[in-house]
Amino acid sequence: MLVEALKAGRGLELRQLTLRDARPLFALVEANRERLSRWLPWPEANRRVLDSRAYILLSRRRAQAGLGQSFGLWWRGELVGVAGFNWVDRANRCGAIGYWLAEAAQGRGLMTAAVAALLRHGFRTLELNRIEIRAGVRNLRSRAIPERLGFRREGILRQAERLGERYVDHVVYGLLASDWKAGRKGR
Ligand SMILES: CC(C)(COP(=O)(O)OP(=O)(O)OC[C@H]1O[C@@H](n2cnc3c(N)ncnc32)[C@H](O)[C@@H]1OP(=O)(O)O)[C@@H](O)C(=O)NCCC(=O)NCCS
């Protein structure tokens, strides 16, 4: 299901990327390439505006097919990152969230707010039962997001991802619909 936008509060909006965003999206990747490449495999292959166009088209197609959806993050009118469901498995009602943020937008709680909005969307609208986040064991900033939002640390996947010449272990965090509802009552 393709959703055009999600509100995350704090002046932050998640919007489905369109082809008009290809140029600013590519500029953001260029400006943050080295930092992003430390933890994500795709910047290496994203070398031209055309690559960002292809990513946006694929993301729209996957959203239409109900397989996942990426959103651009706009803060104070500016594109500052991307977050969304990397995949959704309808049969098992589960999905996985991924994200990245421009360096200048870090440290303000924006990604935590964006992921909280994705959780509302995932559990309420997509009716998922389980949402997971995987992060490199040493990617402490990324790990802090599921930890802040009440995910349970479920285990380690050894050498789960190849980043350049190294293999990185992942921590898997999971949140169930029942955990999420109970957490909201407690707040
Ligand atoms: C992972 C990543 C998105 C985290 O960004 P971030 O800015 O640390 O995360 P948030 O936007 O949620 O901000 C949290 C920070 O804002 C602070 N903050 C301020 N107000 C806040 C609020 N209302 N709520 C939560 N945090 C708040 C927190 O204390 C924290 O700062 P600290 O780390 O100095 O304690 C970013 O580091 C990134 O893009 N990294 C490279 C790509 C990557 O690793 N992606 C994930 C792959 S698994």
Side-chain angles (χ1 to χ4, degrees):
M1 183 202 306
L2 190 149
V3 172
E4 288 303 332
L6 299 174
K7 290 252 182 267
R10 304 159 50 84
L12 180 68
E13 196 179 20
L14 282 70
R15 288 209 299 269
Q16 167 62 51
L17 291 157
T18 70
L19 287 179
R20 275 195 310 274
D21 305 318
R23 209 166 273 282
L25 179 64
F26 180 71
L28 209 59
V29 173
E30 274 284 86
N32 290 273
R33 182 177 298 286
E34 209 180 307
R35 219 182 99 252
L36 296 177
S37 298
R38 211 169 150 227
W39 295 115
L40 297 165
W42 55 261
E44 181 55 36
N46 188 300
R47 292 285 172 186
R48 300 171 302 167
V49 177
L50 269 182
D51 298 323
S52 292
R53 280 177 66 90
Y55 166 74
I56 291 168
L57 284 175
L58 181 66
S59 159
R60 292 190 75 91
R61 254 185 259 127
R62 286 176 57 76
Q64 271 149 359
L67 297 173
Q69 182 168 7
S70 311
F71 295 90
L73 267 58
W74 273 263
W75 183 57
R76 297 179 176 169
E78 208 183 313
L79 182 64
V80 293
V82 172
F85 284 94
N86 291 343
W87 52 263
V88 167
D89 172 349
R90 299 294 320 161
N92 294 304
R93 292 201 176 180
C94 55
I97 290 177
Y99 40 74
W100 63 270
L101 205 53
E103 186 164 22
Q106 282 190 137
R108 296 184 163 92
L110 296 178
M111 194 53 83
T112 301
V115 173
L118 289 170
L119 293 180
R120 284 193 292 278
H121 177 59
F123 288 129
R124 283 195 188 143
T125 311
L126 304 178
E127 298 181 333
L128 299 179
N129 176 56
R130 169 189 162 81
I131 295 179
E132 69 176 55
I133 292 180
R134 295 180 185 188
V137 169
R138 294 194 179 175
N139 193 349
L140 300 184
R141 289 194 89 112
S142 178
R143 290 181 55 181
I145 292 171
E147 285 169 9
R148 238 179 249 126
L149 291 171
F151 280 64
R152 186 181 294 188
R153 181 188 153 149
E154 295 179 332
I156 305 281
L157 296 175
R158 293 180 307 149
Q159 301 192 359
E161 190 168 46
R162 184 162 166 248
L163 292 174
E165 293 308 309
R166 67 195 167 115
Y167 288 99
V168 173
D169 293 353
H170 276 178
V171 189
V172 182
Y173 292 93
L175 187 70
L176 303 183
S178 53
D179 303 335
W180 182 71
K181 281 182 195 142
R184 287 171 70 82
K185 266 187 211 141
R187 260 175 242 138

